[in-house]
Amino acid sequence: MRTFGFDPSTAEVLQTLQPGHFVFKYGSVPETHVQHVRSDIEVTLTDTDEGMRGDARKVQ
């Protein structure tokens, strides 16, 4: 918390973050809890697991 200058209440947020959530901090601006939301097409275009699965599925 001290290293990044986070408010003490952020400790609990960091310990309970769900997938797609993060804490954004820029300079001396107070940190913000953010949820990254992607559209269906973004999910398809950024699927990096395809190569690991060996799927024949390809983005058309």
Side-chain angles (χ1 to χ4, degrees), residues 25-48:
K25 174 96 168 123
Y26 183 76
S28 61
V29 178
E31 60 274 14
T32 303
H33 180 183
V34 179
Q35 179 182 4
H36 185 127
V37 178
R38 299 183 296 163
S39 67
D40 290 341
I41 188 69
E42 289 172 307
V43 170
T44 300
L45 291 173
T46 60
D47 179 8
T48 58

Side-chain angles (χ1 to χ4, degrees), residues 3-60:
T3 300
F4 296 106
F6 288 161
D7 184 89
S9 65
T10 302
E12 185 175 338
V13 172
L14 289 171
Q15 293 178 45
T16 59
L17 286 174
Q18 299 296 313
H21 292 246
F22 61 96
V23 172
F24 177 75
K25 174 96 168 123
Y26 183 76
S28 61
V29 178
E31 60 274 14
T32 303
H33 180 183
V34 179
Q35 179 182 4
H36 185 127
V37 178
R38 299 183 296 163
S39 67
D40 290 341
I41 188 69
E42 289 172 307
V43 170
T44 300
L45 291 173
T46 60
D47 179 8
T48 58
D49 293 337
E50 180 181 335
M52 298 294 285
R53 289 190 302 257
D55 288 354
R57 294 184 294 177
K58 302 284 184 216
V59 176
Q60 301 290 327

